[in-house]
Amino acid sequence: MLEQLLIFTRGGLILWTCKEIGNALKGSPIDTLIRSCLLEERSGAVSFNYDAPGAAYTLKWTFHNDLGLVFVAVYQRILHLLYVDDLLSMVKQSFSEVYDPKRMAYNDFDETFRQLRMEAEARAEELRKTKQVGKPVTGSVKKQGQVLKAGLEGGNKRVGEGGTKKDDGDGIKGKVSNLTNGHSNENHKMGDDSQEADRANGKENTSSNVAVDISKLQKLRSKGVRGRGGVRKADSIGNKSSKVAAAEPAKKATKKNRVWDDAAPKQSKLDFTDSVDDNGNNDHVEVVAADQGESMMDKEEVFSSDSESDDDDDDEPGSDEKPAEAKKKGWFSSVFQSITGKANLEKTDLGPALKALKERLMTKNVAEEIAEKLCESVEASLEGKKLSSFTRISSTVQAAMEDALVRILTPRRSIDILRDVHASKEQRKPYVVVFVGVNGVGKSTNLAKVAYWLQQHKVSVMMAACDTFRSGAVEQLRTHARRLQIPIFEKGYEKDPAVVAKEAIQEATRNGSDVVLVDTAGRMQDNEPLMRALSKLINLNQPDLVLFVGEALVGNDAVDQLSKFNQKLSDLSTSGNPRLIDGILLTKFDTIDDKVGAALSMVYISGSPVMFVGCGQSYTDLKKLNVKAIVKTLLK
């Protein structure tokens, strides 16, 4: 049964709801659809599933882009209503005929909807009955045909093998096989007599149906071939002795390592990183403190539009380079359409421009799946829209894609770390940030950059060395802490990282540290034990911010990494409201030139904003993401 159907504008004004249905929806499926699907450029999807306590809904929608209207239908997921798509298209057509921008109430549309609904339900019921009537007949005929065909082929195959094998089925198959060969021999007659005698006793003779070649069996025995029970068939003593002799080389002892000098002293320890005195000082480590200048996070990046216009001017002639025949063929029609405007954009009109745009996004390192979904969303937002005068389809599609990219890369919620740090300081508890990610992306290095940036804003920081898996991880973080003169909490290796993080937070609370930066081990998204340990760390300590550190070099793998990280954190969580990734730190951004598509892929798949961008090897090389520059680079 249909739960709800409503019509509203793109601005959020509800024009009409079905009063006849009037079911109270559990939760807020419409708001979730708008927030998670329509505003996130996922409107090209077929449907949207919403789970609420005690209910599971499926939402389907359609747009009237020329009028700016949205039609949404809600129904129980378990029902699988077949008429929803047909009903939405009929409601869209009927409502667009009576729509008036100045009108706010459409009470007279109730009767029209009732008729449309009855028509759609009757059509779906008729379609369901025709499928039910046709399905069993075709299935039974097909099954009988397959059985008969199998019987005929089996009889032909058995008899056609020269009489060495006989039919071990019933008398019907034997008769069919004899008729197909056109003759019978004495062996078949004897086999039929023995089968009839066995049927009288209620048994089926199978031993008489197998012709055994004794000479072949003897050859196999002499070769020592194994039987069904796994016992070797060789009878001679020579075979037994050869088997024992063949088994002896497998017990050969391994070669011992050669000792060159027995008098050489043995090294008891190979760790040379703890070269510190009794007071914990290390004179060989350079102390940087705040001598490297202002962090790039606090500098406003100027994005000039002069280069943009130059690039656009350079791209225009190239985009218009077409064969002369094509120009002559559609010259008058293209000029006429550019002056008067096209009636309504259709899929065939948008196809070539969207295909070129998808290829352009993929060359900029955007994942193929993300590029395809974006193009589908732009197509859904432009289909049926009237093209204005003196505008081309390609420029209209590019403008729509630019708006969509800006909307995706702009954070849905404001995450101001400095503001949140001061709020936690007022509550007398440290602000905890956990850095997670795959191996080798630069978690420890960029953690030190974030610590340096926080130091610039007079925030006391403490590092927690929770990477107890990788050799050298604790020493690496200890070196950064000494250079920046930041306290570090460490417990060595082979410890539970969740417990180490908890003790570090307790230590920061006692010492009055404002922020705790937790370094974790790098792990692949498919490593189940390490993902379970990470989930335990997050569930036990409940950090204020979970940052995913990812490379700007990845392409399609960005989708797999983020989606599986979020999926594992959700599946392994012990609470009803699991903690997922809150933000993204993009590293190695200075090595990719214009291949900036990883930022778009990561934000689209996770819905989390890019909070930091690493663009160098010094502590100051950390900056914010310039959304306009990224969008312009993607579409250039």
Side-chain angles (χ1 to χ4, degrees):
M1 180 180 177
L2 196 66
E3 295 290 328
Q4 187 59 268
L5 193 144
L6 70 159
I7 305 171
F8 57 91
T9 64
R10 287 187 178 272
L13 178 62
I14 298 178
L15 299 177
W16 180 84
T17 57
C18 183
K19 299 177 182 178
E20 182 182 351
I21 300 175
N23 293 332
L25 299 177
K26 297 180 180 180
S28 55
I30 305 297
D31 295 340
T32 307
L33 172 69
I34 296 173
R35 184 173 60 254
S36 302
C37 191
L38 303 185
L39 293 181
E40 290 296 319
E41 296 303 324
R42 291 177 172 87
S43 57
V46 178
S47 61
F48 176 76
N49 293 329
Y50 176 80
D51 294 318
Y57 298 118
T58 296
L59 291 83
K60 290 192 174 183
W61 63 91
T62 185
F63 300 111
H64 197 300
N65 293 309
D66 195 19
L67 300 178
L69 301 178
V70 184
F71 304 82
V72 180
V74 186
Y75 60 94
Q76 293 285 348
R77 191 185 308 168
I78 197 173
L79 297 180
H80 300 289
L81 300 182
L82 302 177
Y83 62 87
V84 174
D85 293 328
D86 194 13
L87 179 62
L88 281 174
S89 62
M90 290 191 296
V91 169
K92 171 184 172 182
Q93 182 179 359
S94 300
F95 191 83
S96 60
E97 296 175 357
V98 299
Y99 174 70
D100 185 3
K102 298 180 181 179
R103 187 177 172 184
M104 298 299 175
Y106 293 87
N107 297 325
D108 55 346
F109 192 71
D110 295 343
E111 184 62 29
T112 305
F113 172 74
R114 189 180 298 109
Q115 296 176 359
L116 295 176
R117 182 184 175 189
M118 292 174 61
E119 181 181 348
E121 289 179 349
R123 193 178 303 175
E125 184 67 20
E126 183 180 354
L127 181 62
R128 185 178 63 85
K129 288 181 179 179
T130 55
K131 286 185 177 180
Q132 283 185 349
V133 170
K135 188 174 181 181
V137 176
T138 55
S140 61
V141 172
K142 183 178 179 181
K143 186 175 182 181
Q144 292 174 2
Q146 288 178 350
V147 172
L148 183 58
K149 184 178 178 181
L152 290 172
E153 290 179 353
N156 290 334
K157 184 177 180 181
R158 293 187 185 95
V159 180
E161 289 177 352
T164 58
K165 293 184 181 180
K166 297 181 181 179
D167 183 21
D168 54 355
D170 54 9
I172 297 175
K173 291 184 179 179
K175 293 178 181 178
V176 173
S177 60
N178 290 333
L179 289 173
T180 53
N181 284 279
H183 67 279
S184 62
N185 53 22
E186 297 297 328
N187 293 332
H188 282 86
K189 292 179 180 178
M190 292 173 63
D192 293 338
D193 296 339
S194 61
Q195 286 180 5
E196 290 175 1
D198 287 337
R199 287 195 196 96
N201 297 326
K203 298 180 181 178
E204 182 178 359
N205 186 4
T206 56
S207 60
S208 63
N209 294 335
V210 180
V212 180
D213 193 344
I214 300 176
S215 61
K216 289 184 179 180
L217 183 59
Q218 291 177 350
K219 289 181 181 179
L220 293 176
R221 284 184 178 179
S222 63
K223 291 181 181 180
V225 179
R226 292 183 182 270
R228 290 185 179 179
V231 181
R232 190 174 292 274
K233 299 295 182 180
D235 297 331
S236 62
I237 300 175
N239 289 337
K240 292 183 180 179
S241 61
S242 62
K243 182 177 72 172
V244 174
E248 287 180 357
K251 299 180 181 179
K252 188 176 181 180
T254 57
K255 183 178 179 181
K256 296 182 179 180
N257 294 329
R258 179 175 296 179
V259 180
W260 293 98
D261 189 2
D262 296 335
K266 296 182 179 180
Q267 294 181 348
S268 59
K269 188 178 181 181
L270 294 176
D271 187 5
F272 299 100
T273 58
D274 295 330
S275 57
V276 295
D277 55 14
D278 297 335
N279 298 326
N281 298 324
N282 190 349
D283 298 333
H284 301 287
V285 178
E286 179 185 0
V287 177
V288 177
D291 296 338
Q292 291 198 5
E294 186 181 6
S295 175
M296 296 178 65
M297 282 289 296
D298 302 320
K299 297 179 181 179
E300 292 293 334
E301 186 176 359
V302 180
F303 183 67
S304 61
S305 59
D306 298 337
S307 59
E308 302 173 17
S309 59
D310 295 341
D311 294 338
D312 293 343
D313 294 341
D314 295 339
D315 291 344
E316 288 299 324
S319 61
D320 289 338
E321 289 181 1
K322 297 179 181 179
E325 295 180 1
K327 284 189 174 182
K328 291 179 181 179
K329 182 178 179 181
W331 179 83
F332 181 77
S333 60
S334 61
V335 171
F336 182 75
Q337 287 184 0
S338 64
I339 295 175
T340 59
K342 187 174 176 61
N344 286 311
L345 290 174
E346 300 175 356
K347 287 187 177 182
T348 55
D349 303 324
L350 300 172
L354 288 173
K355 183 179 179 181
L357 200 56
K358 176 185 173 182
E359 294 176 355
R360 189 186 307 176
L361 290 174
M362 290 174 61
T363 57
K364 298 300 174 67
N365 219 14
V366 178
E368 181 181 2
E369 177 186 354
I370 305 301
E372 186 173 353
K373 288 183 178 179
L374 278 172
C375 291
E376 289 176 358
S377 179
V378 170
E379 181 184 30
S381 64
L382 291 178
E383 186 180 358
K385 192 174 183 180
K386 186 176 181 180
L387 188 65
S388 57
S389 303
F390 299 102
T391 53
R392 295 180 302 173
I393 295 177
S394 58
S395 59
T396 303
V397 171
Q398 180 151 340
M401 179 63 76
E402 184 174 352
D403 294 339
L405 295 179
V406 171
R407 195 157 47 245
I408 291 171
L409 292 173
T410 303
R412 290 182 294 176
R413 59 188 182 93
S414 176
I415 302 178
D416 191 344
I417 293 182
L418 296 176
R419 181 194 61 196
D420 296 340
V421 166
H422 290 298
S424 297
K425 189 176 181 180
E426 292 177 357
Q427 300 176 5
R428 295 184 179 181
K429 65 176 184 179
Y431 186 82
V432 183
V433 183
V434 176
F435 292 78
V436 303
V438 299
N439 308 79
V441 295
K443 289 183 295 298
S444 303
T445 303
N446 285 275
L447 182 146
K449 293 179 184 180
V450 174
Y452 180 80
W453 170 67
L454 291 172
Q455 274 188 321
Q456 298 295 305
H457 291 273
K458 310 301 180 184
V459 176
S460 60
V461 184
M462 187 178 78
M463 296 182 180
C466 296
D467 185 356
T468 61
F469 184 78
R470 176 174 64 90
S471 300
V474 177
E475 288 78 12
Q476 180 185 4
L477 205 64
R478 187 188 301 159
T479 302
H480 285 303
R482 288 173 181 165
R483 288 174 61 87
L484 296 174
Q485 294 181 335
I486 291 176
I488 181 174
F489 185 88
E490 56 176 289
K491 286 290 185 179
Y493 296 99
E494 297 182 358
K495 302 293 191 302
D496 189 355
V499 177
V500 176
K502 184 176 182 180
E503 294 178 358
I505 296 172
Q506 294 173 353
E507 181 70 19
T509 305
R510 288 192 295 267
N511 296 339
S513 298
D514 299 331
V515 178
V516 179
L517 302 179
V518 180
D519 185 30
T520 62
R523 66 206 76 212
M524 296 306 294
Q525 59 270 22
D526 297 321
N527 193 325
E528 183 72 22
L530 288 179
M531 290 303 299
R532 194 175 295 277
L534 177 63
S535 177
K536 179 183 176 182
L537 186 149
I538 293 177
N539 292 328
L540 181 63
N541 298 283
Q542 290 298 315
D544 298 282
L545 187 65
V546 179
L547 279 182
F548 179 84
V549 185
E551 283 184 332
L553 303 170
V554 296
N556 290 324
D557 199 38
V559 178
D560 189 56
Q561 289 177 8
L562 268 166
S563 59
K564 287 189 176 179
F565 258 82
N566 269 333
Q567 187 64 38
K568 289 293 184 181
L569 292 178
S570 177
D571 294 343
L572 299 174
S573 177
T574 57
S575 62
N577 187 18
R579 284 296 307 276
L580 304 179
I581 293 171
D582 300 316
I584 299 170
L585 196 157
L586 211 56
T587 65
K588 306 176 186 179
F589 207 74
D590 55 325
T591 64
I592 58 173
D593 195 20
D594 62 342
K595 304 293 188 295
V596 296
L600 177 64
S601 299
M602 289 184 177
V603 173
Y604 188 91
I605 200 66
S606 67
S608 304
V610 176
M611 301 183 61
F612 302 101
V613 174
C615 55
Q617 298 183 6
S618 64
Y619 291 131
T620 59
D621 293 331
L622 191 73
K623 63 181 182 179
K624 299 177 183 178
L625 183 71
N626 192 326
V627 175
K628 292 184 179 179
I630 295 295
V631 172
K632 193 58 67 174
T633 304
L634 287 172
L635 298 179
K636 184 171 65 174

